[in-house]
Amino acid sequence: MWARVRAAEAAVGQIGTTLDAVTTCQELAGFLSWNVCDAVAVDLLADDGGLRRVATAGAAALVPAGAGAAPSVRASDGGHRLSEWSTFAGGVPVHVLSVPLPDGEQSHGVVTAVRARAGFGDHEAATVHFAARLAAVHLGHARQLATTEDTVSHLQRALVAEPGRPHPNLEVASRYLPAGPRVLVGGDWFETIRLHYGRTLLVVGDVMGHGLDAAVDMNAYRSTLRDVASTDLAPHRVLRQLDALAAGDAARRPATCLLVRVDPARGVAMFAGAGHLPPAVFGADGSASLVDVPVGPPLGTGIGGYEAVTRTITPQETLLMFTDGLVERRGEDIDVSLARLAAVRPPVGAGVTAVVDAVVDGLDARHAEDDVAVLAARARPRPSADPGAAPSGMP
């Protein structure tokens, strides 16, 4: 009895240390191989209804390809059957126990335990049975987490989606990359808003923190921004309005934000920031420089004090706006991080999308420690006059 209790305690401590299904199967196989048998294989149910082997331990060559001709049911606990048979593997007589990994009335898969020559005693069989049930519980949790993460990922992409349609005189490209193997919905976002006279407001923002609360606040900032921007205020005045409105909501999280109002017809862009990193401008030769934007406080603080700066922008230049996940690295000074961005060299003559690709690849953004949102824009060249056209006033 005490041997079974100690085995159960060991199983609880060694199986299900993470919420990853494959890791749980590897832990199950390792535990049984070390404590009970000579070889173990764990197969999970695949999408096509078949079984996919995800873990083995011990002398894997001893695991038979299939069940014996007439496996017997050694035990059954609430439909959780433990089947047993004897066969030969590699010329060696082996004894096999097969136990499903229960998932309600169905199964996550099956674990197969093998002992060479000697059979399984009651203690060993009970240990296999218990370990399989324990692993199945953790597999159920892992499956629920995977389903939740899939839902959250779709929610995040629906909230971020593609930016709005800018004026035809502006070409844009965007990218959103969630961070890490465990996708948590966050507050990174981008947007484009059409203004009067062919101008477009470009927006990148980042609500502090992760989780559904951050996503809800992000959506609130986006909605409020659209309303405020429709009044055609200058970018720094838009930030003042956003800050005042957000500060009046005690439950709303602070957020950083960068606004750029692009006027392709005049070849100018006006910048204003609220605690956000500066944008970069890539020239036709691929070289980059950072725009010196006055740094105001994050939105929601109620402090205000935002300023704007204007610079020229040509159809040969690509403006790149981003959230901090693109450049920041743990333990690294931010100036070093921004210098690494400025050192990226897209191919000469690269389009807007190619510039985004070059930056994402050059900074290994797919393995960033935080979510990454990138928005790039370039003014389309104005059509030149028909050289064959007659001058005004001439027939």
Side-chain angles (χ1 to χ4, degrees), residues 15-96:
I15 300 172
T17 62
T18 71
L19 285 173
D20 180 74
V22 173
T23 300
T24 297
C25 292
Q26 292 170 342
E27 291 170 345
L28 171 62
F31 169 79
L32 291 177
S33 174
W34 182 261
N35 292 278
V36 177
C37 53
D38 299 313
V40 184
V42 183
D43 301 287
L44 290 183
L45 193 65
D47 293 337
D48 60 4
L51 291 174
R52 176 175 60 94
R53 183 147 299 175
V54 297
T56 59
L62 296 177
V63 179
S72 61
V73 178
R74 176 163 181 166
S76 180
D77 180 8
H80 187 209
R81 299 175 11 139
L82 191 156
S83 301
E84 180 180 24
W85 70 92
S86 298
T87 186
F88 284 86
V92 178
V94 294
H95 299 266
V96 186

Side-chain angles (χ1 to χ4, degrees), residues 29-329:
F31 169 79
L32 291 177
S33 174
W34 182 261
N35 292 278
V36 177
C37 53
D38 299 313
V40 184
V42 183
D43 301 287
L44 290 183
L45 193 65
D47 293 337
D48 60 4
L51 291 174
R52 176 175 60 94
R53 183 147 299 175
V54 297
T56 59
L62 296 177
V63 179
S72 61
V73 178
R74 176 163 181 166
S76 180
D77 180 8
H80 187 209
R81 299 175 11 139
L82 191 156
S83 301
E84 180 180 24
W85 70 92
S86 298
T87 186
F88 284 86
V92 178
V94 294
H95 299 266
V96 186
L97 286 180
S98 177
V99 191
L101 300 167
D103 178 23
E105 296 181 356
Q106 299 179 341
S107 173
H108 294 290
V110 62
V111 56
T112 304
V114 181
R115 298 190 77 184
R117 296 182 173 84
F120 289 87
D122 290 341
H123 165 64
E124 289 86 359
T127 300
V128 173
H129 209 249
F130 176 80
R133 292 183 68 91
L134 176 64
V137 171
H138 291 293
L139 288 172
H141 294 161
R143 178 171 292 180
Q144 291 174 0
L145 177 63
T147 300
T148 301
E149 287 180 342
D150 186 61
T151 301
V152 167
S153 179
H154 282 87
L155 171 62
Q156 176 72 58
R157 295 186 184 281
L159 288 174
V160 175
E162 292 296 321
R165 291 170 52 203
H167 283 285
N169 57 15
L170 198 66
E171 181 182 2
V172 301
S174 61
R175 192 70 51 83
Y176 172 75
L177 300 171
R182 290 280 173 244
V183 180
L184 292 176
V185 66
D188 292 34
W189 52 286
F190 41 65
E191 184 64 278
T192 68
I193 302 173
R194 287 192 182 199
L195 303 175
H196 297 298
Y197 310 114
R199 298 172 300 170
T200 297
L201 185 66
L202 305 176
V203 187
V204 169
D206 186 2
V207 177
M208 296 181 182
H210 286 86
L212 289 175
D213 288 342
V216 169
D217 286 344
M218 176 263 284
N219 200 45
Y221 276 112
R222 288 184 72 176
S223 299
T224 305
L225 174 67
R226 293 191 192 102
D227 291 339
V228 175
S230 66
T231 62
D232 216 6
L233 294 172
H236 61 296
R237 296 185 181 276
V238 172
L239 290 179
R240 290 177 193 172
Q241 292 273 9
L242 282 175
D243 178 55
L245 292 170
D249 183 355
R252 189 179 301 187
R253 301 184 183 198
T256 67
C257 187
L258 175 66
L259 303 183
V260 183
R261 188 176 71 186
V262 182
D263 187 345
R266 296 176 56 207
V268 296
M270 180 179 286
F271 302 77
H276 206 88
L277 293 176
V281 175
F282 287 83
D285 61 352
S287 63
S289 61
L290 298 174
V291 181
D292 187 12
V293 180
V295 181
L299 300 175
T301 62
I303 299 174
Y306 303 104
E307 299 178 29
V309 63
T310 302
R311 63 154 283 173
T312 60
I313 190 163
T314 70
Q316 291 74 43
E317 295 177 313
T318 301
L319 172 68
L320 186 90
M321 305 163 64
F322 51 91
T323 54
D324 54 11
L326 177 70
V327 295
E328 287 187 350
R329 300 296 180 264

Side-chain angles (χ1 to χ4, degrees), residues 314-367:
T314 70
Q316 291 74 43
E317 295 177 313
T318 301
L319 172 68
L320 186 90
M321 305 163 64
F322 51 91
T323 54
D324 54 11
L326 177 70
V327 295
E328 287 187 350
R329 300 296 180 264
R330 192 185 307 274
E332 181 179 80
D333 186 85
I334 188 59
D335 290 334
V336 175
S337 304
L338 291 172
R340 186 171 55 251
L341 167 63
V344 174
R345 290 292 181 269
V348 175
V352 178
T353 300
V355 171
V356 173
D357 290 338
V359 170
V360 167
D361 293 340
L363 299 182
D364 194 22
R366 292 179 178 81
H367 300 97

